[in-house]
Amino acid sequence: MRWRRHQREALDAIADSADARHWVVLPPGAGKTLAGVGAASSWGRPVVAFAPNVAIVSQWRAAWTAMTGEPATSDRDLPTVFTALTYQSLAVFDGEADGDSQKARLHPNGLALVERLHDAGPLTLVLDECHHLLEVWGDLLDEIVAGLPDAIVLALTATPPELLTATQAARVERLFGDITYQAGIPALVAEGDLAPFAELAWFTTPSAREEEWLDARTVRARELVSELTRVDAVDVPLLSWLDLHDWRDLQPDVADAVVRLALAGHLPLPEHAHVTERHRTPVTLDDWLTVAEGWLVGLRDGDDDAERAFQRRIATLLPGVGYRFTRHGIRPGHPLVDRVLSRSSSKAAAAVEIAARTLADDDRARLLVLTDHARAAALPADLDGVVEPQSGSVHWLLEALVADGRLAGARPIAVTGSTIGAEAHVLRELLPDEDIGQGDGVVVLEGSTADRWLRAATEALNRGWTRCLVGTRGLLGEGWNARAVSGVIDLTSATTSTAIVQTRGRSLRTDPDRPDKVAVNWTVTCVAPDRPQGDADYRRLVRKHEGWFAVDEEGDIVDGVAHLDSHLSPSAPPTAIDTLNARALARAADATAIRDAWAHVDPARENAVVTLRITADRGPAPVALRPLPTRKELTPKAPVGLAGLGIPAAAVAAMLGFINSPTAAAVILVSLVLFFGEYVLRAAQVRASLATEPATSDYARAVADALREGGRSPVGAEGVRVEVTSGGETRVHLEGVAEAVTQEFVTALAEVLGPIEQPRYLISRPAWDRHRLHLRHALRPPAPDREVWHQVPTLFGGSAARAEVFRAAWARRVRDGRLIYVGNPEGAGLLATLRWTSPFGDGAGMRIVERRHW
C-alpha cells in the first residue's frame, strides 16, 4: 500500500501512542477510511466500525476487503472479523422503556448488539465521523465505550477540534483524550492530496415583493424604537436608565450594544469600554432590544401602574418585528425575516448566473448545487404571497436552471432521496429503461429505484455528460463522492462545522482525469442591510466561514469572511454588492492565481497565525526607512568638536598675525571649510534622525521583545514579519510560535497602535518636529518638541514589574520614554485628557483588524 504523507504520519502517531483510544482528524478526501483500515488491521482483533449512513458503511466494507482480502459484512450477529454498521443500527430505543441510562432505554435488538460487542472479546471499535457522537446516539456510545475497557477505540473525523462547541469538545475529550494526529486542509492542499480551491460569495437583495414586506417591518421597527426612547413615558427613560449602570457590570452582549449606541451618539461612551471592529457598525433593532430588556422587565415588575401599562404596550409591538415578551424577557418569535432572506427568489437567479458564467468559462467544470430540502417546508401565513411556496427546494432550482438557455448544453439534473428530475429528453437518454413519456419540459420521476437513479446521475456527472447536479445537502453530502465536481453552489442554511466541512469536501477531492483541477465554491447570501434583521442571512454566512481557511485575493490563506473578500467584515453586511460580485467573478475565472497561491503554502506548517491588518489615512510607515538613532549615535563626534574649536582659534591666530604665509592660510582655510562642513552635516543628521518617526515594525519589535522577556514567547523581534499589500494594507504577525502566542502579540500591538482607552499604564515617546536646522544640534541634540503617549498593552499592565519589562523593550525599539501609572494624580490627569485619542492624531483614520491565516 502506498500511503500519502498524512496517512503515514497518522498511522505512525497511532502506533507510537501507548493509549488505547485514538482521535484522528483528517479532512474529506484525505483517505481517512483507508488509514482507519490500516490501523485496525494491524491490531489483529475483531473490528466493528460504526458510520453515520449506509453509503459510508459500504465504503468501509469495500476498503477492508480490498486491503486485507478478508470478507466484511454489516450483519448485526458479527459473523466476520470485520463488521461495519450504522450508528442508527445500535441506537434503537424502546419508546416504553424508562431510566436515566441510555443503554437501559434500548430496544431488545439494540441490547442484543451490545451484548455481542461484549462477547466478541477484546475488539477494535472504529467510530467514523465521530462528531456524530453528539447526535441522539452520543450518550449511548459514551456508555458503551465505558463498558468496553479492553477495547481499542479509533475515532475518526473530518471536523477540526477548534470548530467544536464547548459541549462537543468536552464529550470528545472525555471519550478520546488528546488528539493523536491532526492534518489541516491547507496542509493537504499544499501537499497535493486535495485540490486548490477558493471560497467566494454571491450577494443578492430581496425581490420587489419581498422588499415591500420588509418595508412594512421597517416602519414597525422605527415605531418601536421611537416608543422605547420616549422621555415622557416613565420616570426613568431607557437612555437615562442605561447611564446609571457601570458598563463593566453589564453582560457582554448588552455591553457591546451599549458601545454601538454610544458610537452612534445616543449615549456617552462608557469609561471602561474597549472599542473594536465589532462595535464600529450601525445600530440595529437587536441592539435596542438587547439594552432595553432589563429595563422593560423592571417596569413590568415595578409598582407603578403607568409604567406597567407602558411595558405592556411595548410587548404588543414586539410581535410586529419578530419578537415576543415572555416572563423571561424578550425572546425571538417566528424568524420571518430570516425565512424571507434564506428562501428569497433572488437566490435561484443567483445560482443560475453563477452556473452559466462558470460553465461558459470552463468547459470541464462540474457543478453541485446544494439546498436544504427536496420540497420546501410550509410557510407561515404571514408570508403568504411574499415568498414562493417551493422556493429553495430541489425541483424549484431545477426549473430555474432549465429555464435559462445558456445552460441547455449542461443538462441539469436534480436528485432527491426518492426522485430524479430533468428535461424529458435528458431523462430519456440518461435512463433509457424508464418510461418517460413523449412530452417535453421538466419531468420528475418518483419511485423506489432512487438509489439507481442517483448512481446514474453521479456517473453522468463524472464523465461530463451532465455538468450540473442539484440535490440536498443530506443526499449529496457526507458519504457521496464524485471526483469530477469542481465547484459547489451553496444555498443551504446549515451552519454547523460538520455541515460546512462536508459540503465543501465534495469539491476538494483531486481528479485523476484532471490533475490541474481547481475548485471554486460559492455561498449565495441575501442581504437587506438597511432593514431590521436584514443581516440574518449574512450572519449565517459569517458562521459558515468561521475557522474555514481559503485563499483571499491577495494570495493569503485566511479564515472567516475575509477570504471571500478582504472588504468584508464579520460585524456588518456589505452594501456595494455589485462590486463584490464582479470581483468574485474575476477571481473565479483566474484559476492560475488560485493555484499559485496554494503552491506557496508550506505543507509542514502545523498551526494558523493571527495577523494584524492596518490601514490608515495617516499613520506610521510600515517599516523604518532608517534605523532609529541610539544614544551613542547622537553623541557629538571628535571632528565636530574640533570644528567648533577650530573656528575661534583660526580667528585669534589671524588677529595676532600668526598666519602670514599664503600657503598656510590656504591650508587652514580649507581645513576650516571641511570642519565646518562636517559640523553642518552632523547637525543635519542629528535633526533628521530625531525627526524620523518610529515605524509599525518598530512598535511590533518592541511588543515581541517584551513578550519574550516576559516569558510569553520563545522568539522576540527576530520573529516579526511585516508585509505591505498592493492595496496599501500593512500586515504584521509573529512567526515561529504557537497560534495562542500570535494572538497575544497582535492583541498587544493593536492596543499600542490604537486609541487610548482605559489602560493601567501609559508610556511616552519623545517626538521632534521638522524645524529649521540649528548648528548647535551638532554638539547637543535638541530637546524633544513634545511627548506622544501610547497605552501599555493589557497583557503588560497587570503589575509594575510587567510594565517595566515593556518599558525596557520600548526604550530599545521605539524611544526612551516615560512610564506612568494612571492610578496616581499625574497619570489620572493624563488619561482624562488623552482618552479616546489616537497617538497618531485625530486625522490618522487608522483601521486595525485581526485575521487568522495559514
Side-chain angles (χ1 to χ4, degrees):
M1 182 69 188
R2 183 178 178 275
W3 299 106
R4 300 175 183 175
R5 179 169 75 88
H6 292 92
Q7 290 174 321
R8 184 178 65 253
E9 289 177 353
L11 291 171
D12 290 344
I14 293 169
D16 293 341
S17 173
D19 295 333
R21 298 187 179 186
H22 308 281
W23 177 15
V24 175
V25 182
L26 287 172
K32 178 163 46 70
T33 302
L34 288 177
V37 168
S41 62
S42 69
W43 289 313
R45 296 176 166 208
V47 180
V48 178
F50 286 100
N53 58 49
V54 173
I56 299 178
V57 163
S58 65
Q59 291 171 14
W60 275 96
R61 292 199 309 265
W64 178 270
T65 300
M67 186 176 294
T68 67
E70 299 174 357
T73 72
S74 292
D75 191 329
R76 293 160 58 94
D77 291 331
L78 313 184
T80 57
V81 171
F82 183 89
T83 305
L85 301 167
T86 63
Y87 286 114
Q88 295 94 324
S89 68
L90 177 63
V92 180
F93 295 102
D94 187 340
E96 298 180 0
D98 296 321
D100 296 332
S101 166
Q102 295 293 325
K103 189 174 172 182
R105 295 180 52 242
L106 280 178
H107 185 276
N109 291 341
L111 285 172
L113 178 54
V114 173
E115 290 302 319
R116 293 189 195 102
L117 292 175
H118 282 279
D119 295 341
L123 53 76
T124 294
L125 200 62
V126 178
L127 306 177
D128 192 19
E129 305 296 354
C130 65
H131 50 266
H132 283 280
L133 294 175
L134 308 165
E135 308 290 345
V136 66
W137 50 80
D139 289 332
L140 172 64
L141 272 178
D142 200 342
E143 290 183 44
I144 291 174
V145 170
L148 297 171
D150 296 328
I152 296 175
V153 180
L154 175 60
L156 302 166
T157 184
T159 304
E162 58 267 23
L163 297 184
L164 299 177
T165 66
T167 302
Q168 294 169 337
R171 169 169 283 162
V172 171
E173 183 176 357
R174 182 174 65 254
L175 281 169
F176 313 121
D178 294 332
I179 295 176
T180 307
Y181 180 78
Q182 177 180 1
I185 285 179
L188 270 81
V189 175
E191 192 72 22
D193 295 335
L194 296 177
F197 70 98
E199 293 284 341
L200 299 172
W202 186 280
F203 294 101
T204 71
T205 55
S207 68
R209 214 167 21 170
E210 295 159 359
E211 284 278 13
E212 185 178 347
W213 182 87
L214 289 169
D215 284 341
R217 302 278 286 202
T218 302
V219 172
R220 295 176 199 167
R222 289 172 181 164
E223 292 174 350
L224 176 59
V225 172
S226 178
E227 284 294 300
L228 287 172
T229 54
R230 281 178 56 186
V231 296
D232 59 345
V234 296
D235 289 340
V236 183
L238 172 61
L239 297 179
S240 300
W241 178 83
L242 285 170
D243 207 28
L244 295 174
H245 290 76
D246 189 320
W247 183 82
R248 293 169 296 183
D249 296 332
L250 301 176
Q251 293 295 321
D253 58 336
V254 180
D256 283 345
V258 167
V259 174
R260 283 190 285 269
L261 287 172
L263 292 176
H266 299 290
L267 290 166
L269 196 61
E271 181 179 2
H272 300 284
H274 175 55
V275 179
T276 64
E277 182 182 5
R278 69 179 182 274
H279 299 123
R280 298 185 180 96
T281 60
V283 174
T284 65
L285 177 62
D286 286 352
D287 289 328
W288 284 110
L289 297 182
T290 298
V291 299
E293 182 178 22
W295 176 66
L296 290 169
V297 170
L299 296 180
R300 180 194 64 188
D301 298 340
D303 298 329
D304 190 298
D305 291 340
E307 291 186 345
R308 288 200 300 269
F310 178 75
Q311 179 272 322
R312 288 193 296 271
R313 168 167 169 70
I314 296 296
T316 62
L317 295 175
L318 286 172
V321 293
Y323 291 88
R324 54 196 175 89
F325 199 91
T326 72
R327 59 194 180 102
H328 301 294
I330 298 175
R331 297 292 181 268
H334 295 297
L336 297 183
V337 174
D338 193 14
R339 290 278 190 93
V340 170
L341 297 178
S342 64
R343 290 177 55 176
S344 172
S345 60
S346 64
K347 286 191 168 185
V352 171
E353 192 62 28
I354 294 168
R357 299 285 191 100
T358 301
L359 299 181
D361 289 343
D362 180 3
D363 60 3
R364 302 185 68 186
R366 310 285 185 271
L367 289 179
L368 194 62
V369 183
L370 295 181
T371 187
D372 288 312
H373 309 291
R375 292 181 175 85
L379 291 164
D382 289 353
L383 297 182
D384 283 347
V386 178
V387 177
E388 293 287 343
Q390 285 303 311
S391 63
S393 67
V394 169
H395 294 297
W396 187 73
L397 285 166
L398 174 64
E399 293 277 1
L401 291 164
V402 168
D404 193 293
R406 294 174 295 174
L407 294 172
R411 300 187 183 94
I413 298 173
V415 290
T416 71
S418 60
T419 67
I420 186 168
E423 289 186 278
H425 70 90
V426 172
L427 283 184
R428 290 191 194 100
E429 192 170 347
L430 178 69
L431 306 171
D433 297 333
E434 299 288 347
D435 182 12
I436 308 300
Q438 299 303 313
D440 295 322
V442 173
V443 174
V444 177
L445 301 181
E446 187 167 357
S448 58
T449 58
D451 286 346
R452 180 172 66 83
W453 295 339
L454 175 59
R455 288 194 297 273
T458 303
E459 190 275 334
L461 186 69
N462 272 327
R463 62 188 172 90
W465 186 82
T466 178
R467 301 177 62 201
C468 184
L469 186 62
V470 185
T472 63
R473 172 178 55 85
L475 182 67
L476 302 180
E478 195 171 59
W480 178 85
N481 293 315
R483 288 188 173 275
V485 172
S486 61
V488 175
I489 302 176
D490 180 10
L491 300 169
T492 69
S493 59
T495 59
T496 64
S497 56
T498 299
I500 300 313
V501 171
Q502 294 298 338
T503 298
R504 269 66 186 167
R506 300 315 98 199
S507 65
L508 301 191
R509 285 168 168 77
T510 56
D511 184 356
D513 296 331
R514 191 179 182 184
D516 61 344
K517 169 183 166 180
V518 170
V520 176
N521 299 323
W522 293 84
T523 307
V524 180
T525 304
C526 185
V527 295
D530 55 345
R531 300 289 193 273
Q533 301 167 305
D535 62 345
D537 208 33
Y538 185 75
R539 291 199 303 268
R540 184 179 295 111
L541 174 76
V542 171
R543 293 194 297 274
K544 283 185 176 187
H545 289 270
E546 285 176 348
W548 181 260
F549 286 91
V551 62
D552 69 5
E553 68 263 36
E554 296 287 346
D556 286 335
I557 311 301
V558 299
D559 88 330
V561 292
H563 60 231
L564 301 172
D565 192 293
S566 61
H567 293 79
L568 294 176
S569 165
S571 303
T575 53
I577 64 173
D578 290 340
T579 301
L580 289 169
N581 290 343
R583 281 206 297 262
L585 285 171
R587 287 184 60 197
D590 194 353
T592 300
I594 298 170
R595 192 183 300 109
D596 289 347
W598 283 104
H600 288 93
V601 176
D602 181 4
R605 178 178 283 281
E606 296 180 353
N607 61 271
V609 173
V610 184
T611 300
L612 203 65
R613 297 187 172 192
I614 306 163
T615 57
D617 298 328
R618 187 186 72 237
V623 294
L625 298 178
R626 60 166 66 89
L628 294 174
T630 64
R631 285 182 179 274
K632 183 178 180 180
E633 291 169 336
L634 292 177
T635 302
K637 297 180 180 179
V640 176
L642 290 174
L645 294 174
I647 294 173
V652 171
M655 285 188 298
L656 296 177
F658 294 150
I659 304 176
N660 51 21
S661 166
T663 302
V667 169
I668 292 175
L669 180 62
V670 170
S671 299
L672 288 176
V673 170
L674 291 175
F675 279 132
F676 186 78
E678 175 68 20
Y679 191 100
V680 174
L681 178 61
R682 176 62 181 166
Q685 288 175 337
V686 168
R687 189 78 213 189
S689 296
L690 292 174
T692 300
E693 290 286 322
T696 299
S697 57
D698 297 315
Y699 297 110
R701 292 185 177 105
V703 171
D705 279 351
L707 285 172
R708 179 176 56 190
E709 290 154 19
R712 312 286 302 189
S713 169
V715 304
E718 71 279 7
V720 171
R721 301 290 182 270
V722 180
E723 301 173 9
V724 182
T725 70
S726 58
E729 182 180 73
T730 301
R731 299 182 179 182
V732 191
H733 73 272
L734 191 62
E735 190 65 55
V737 295
E739 182 179 351
V741 180
T742 68
Q743 178 67 70
E744 289 186 341
F745 168 77
V746 301
T747 299
L749 181 57
E751 290 181 271
V752 166
L753 298 176
I756 294 172
E757 296 176 343
Q758 186 64 28
R760 297 191 73 229
Y761 287 88
L762 292 167
I763 193 166
S764 72
R765 56 177 171 86
W768 288 262
D769 298 325
R770 295 186 180 276
H771 292 313
R772 185 167 54 87
L773 179 67
H774 293 286
L775 296 183
R776 64 177 180 272
H777 295 166
L779 296 176
R780 185 180 66 186
D785 295 300
R786 52 198 165 83
E787 276 185 303
V788 177
W789 292 91
H790 297 252
Q791 57 189 356
V792 172
T794 304
L795 184 65
F796 299 101
S799 69
R802 278 185 282 179
E804 178 57 31
V805 167
F806 184 78
R807 190 209 63 79
W810 182 268
R812 185 168 58 253
R813 298 292 181 181
V814 182
R815 290 280 166 80
D816 192 2
R818 292 192 295 150
L819 180 70
I820 290 184
Y821 174 53
V822 301
N824 62 35
E826 182 185 8
L830 268 173
L831 184 59
T833 302
L834 297 171
R835 185 179 291 130
W836 306 118
T837 64
S838 168
F840 307 103
D842 293 337
M846 186 171 289
R847 293 166 292 278
I848 303 173
V849 297
E850 296 180 9
R851 296 287 183 263
R852 292 173 71 227
H853 76 86
W854 196 269

